[in-house]
Amino acid sequence: MNFLDQCLKVKEASTELSVMTEAEKNKLLLTFADQLVQDADFIIRANESDIEEAIRNKITPSLVDRLRLDRKRIEDMAQGVRDVAKLADPVGLTLEEKTMPNGLHIKKVSVPLGVIGIIYEARPNVTSDSAALCLKSGNAVVLKGGKEAILSNTAIVASLQKALKSCGMNQNFVYLIEDTSRETTNQMMKLKGVIDVLIPRGGKSLIQAVVANSSVPVIETGAGNCHVYVDESADIEMALNIIDNAKTSRPSVCNAAETLLVHEKIAPLFLPRAAQRLAEKQVELRGCEKTREILGESVIPASEADYETEYNDYILAIKIVKDVKEATTHIRNYSTQHSESIVTQNSGNAEYFTSHVDSAAVYVNASTRFTDGGEFGLGAEIGISTQKLHARGPMGLKELTSYKYIIHGTGQIR
Amino acid sequence: MNFLDQCLKVKEASTELSVMTEAEKNKLLLTFADQLVQDADFIIRANESDIEEAIRNKITPSLVDRLRLDRKRIEDMAQGVRDVAKLADPVGLTLEEKTMPNGLHIKKVSVPLGVIGIIYEARPNVTSDSAALCLKSGNAVVLKGGKEAILSNTAIVASLQKALKSCGMNQNFVYLIEDTSRETTNQMMKLKGVIDVLIPRGGKSLIQAVVANSSVPVIETGAGNCHVYVDESADIEMALNIIDNAKTSRPSVCNAAETLLVHEKIAPLFLPRAAQRLAEKQVELRGCEKTREILGESVIPASEADYETEYNDYILAIKIVKDVKEATTHIRNYSTQHSESIVTQNSGNAEYFTSHVDSAAVYVNASTRFTDGGEFGLGAEIGISTQKLHARGPMGLKELTSYKYIIHGTGQIR
């Protein structure tokens, strides 16, 4: 069966899935989790073939590491699926309810989005993870993984198909696209009316290509050029801990800090200590002229491009600003609207920062690293939205739903 | 100043607008309303020039009528602006709030979308109406009206600029694009990062062109291929009133019914009476074979295209179905997901219909004509969304907002 026909089958099946009870969906997820563990050897063998191929193709070791599955990782995947089963069903909730003067009873009820398309790269755990979140929220799912992981992904979806079958459910609830070429991605982006929303999970270039070319609505996720601003009145110890944590606890993730903004009055005191602290982790600093006056010429001069870059690495751009106003202006100009933090003891400046910075998560005296579905109490997340339409920030099950109005009357006409 | 520079100025001004108080925004709207009335003669003269040009260009009389402003219409526009001022401010509301075990206090707060682009056609009242809704919800607005109304729109925006000036506010909160060429529309669709969302208000071809070509997120509005399904157990008098109202009370609007579906068991009883009732309003009927067997060959045979068409006219497609299941399948295949209604006394069928029909508004025993911001108690609307992302159904002030997370800590790191 070809790609389009298969997607149409998923669309058709999505109605059936949208009206499934919580118990049915949980049964499916728990069966899937058990099946994953049972099929672990098979999945690992498929994964080994992917890895051999990746090594032949001279893929970088860090990518090979992200690709690799072992029994522990498969058990973690299964546990992830079980954790999703435990989350409350986001579908069928009455969000608002009212009776109008003409007697019409209007109820706003949460419903699944329908068919969600996930376009992702090399990590096979995204397959089970995304499928579980979509299914629990009543959405059918079309998965387009990277070519490096195709055999692993196929094996994981085979376990899910077995689970669907043993639960007596429609196997078209989930479809993994076998053809991993870019051409298929382009076709997916044109399936408006079949796929209800596309969520690209991966690097910046993937996300930008999807946003620019898709006629299916897209939720942008993941790009994080995050800032920490150390205000004049900051507690210096707190500021040191926060920038250290935000930059170095996990530099490769989207909520890591990329630029440090420092109030000019505190800079002479704070920056030398920050430089010392960050040197322990071999963080490369790239600073503005004033930063270099304080820290010396070992600091690389920062260019415009530095302030625009999400390094995802042990590199930090630094800029000295004259006040909170200049800090927020810099952030508005350079940020990807993901996460920003102010370290301050001045509540007026904190209020100015939180109201004038237009990002998904705005922190006062805490690390940007907390922007995460788990840390926000959502249980799990399918990504972190950096757009303002639909969902913003960490997206859990609720963010995978829409709503409809159900109106009961007794013959009302207008 | 060129188009792009002007849009960048609006973007810059949007931050200032986003933090304005409700009192400031209301003062602006009330000043604008008064200014409109004060400038009525000037606006009418500008409108007369538009109308002369439209007549020279042989625009249809119905379009000329939509274009025409008189003192009464301008007073209505002013009253519309005053009504928006009365609505509650949707910005700055705490939507959720919690303290996590690590002490982080997380607040989800409603914020404006930023800059809203409205692309519309010939009706000049959309100018004041959209501007008022955007400003009250803290959004700056870029307006791109139709060329037929350019002088009227320019005059209306001049009144708004006077109001901004007399309130001492930034005149870049609102920008009407002077160049009404399609080229400017295309440029708007590429302004991702400057314009936060585009809302096309107008015909199907306009909306589809924007959806297909915009890299700015779009909210689709207005296309309504709406259905009324008369179930086996329907109260026939009620069904007659509902289809008459849904089809004929205002055929040109998006919530009017276009197709009547009838259960085969009630069809022989119901259809002749429906035909008689609709004949009083000169409604042309286009039916399936079974419909023609009952009503005779004066009924035009319905083609696939008929079931796909939003007539916006005194034409109704009819199809006889064997049960509620076939009715919902037909609706899922042909509907634009706007508004559908079932007429039934059977609560099981009503429940099946409301859960299986995937449209913004699903009615039981009421006319589809109620899908409207005013009728739903939203006060006013900027359009009716037929998509599932962000907002669905009538969009009021709340649907013109996003949210952000504001997180207060005491030095937490992860």
Side-chain angles (χ1 to χ4, degrees), chain B residues 119-144:
Chain B
I119 303 176
Y120 55 108
E121 296 179 328
R123 282 162 50 199
N125 64 310
V126 174
T127 307
S128 61
D129 177 19
S130 307
L133 286 163
C134 290
L135 292 169
K136 178 71 189 241
S137 53
N139 293 290
V141 59
V142 176
L143 297 162
K144 168 78 165 60

Side-chain angles (χ1 to χ4, degrees), chain A residues 102-105 407-412, chain B residues 238 242 344 363-367:
Chain A
N102 60 9
L104 282 183
H105 179 256
I407 305 102
H408 280 84
T410 49
Q412 281 84 348
Chain B
M238 188 192 285
I242 287 174
T344 188
Y363 293 83
V364 178
N365 296 332
S367 169

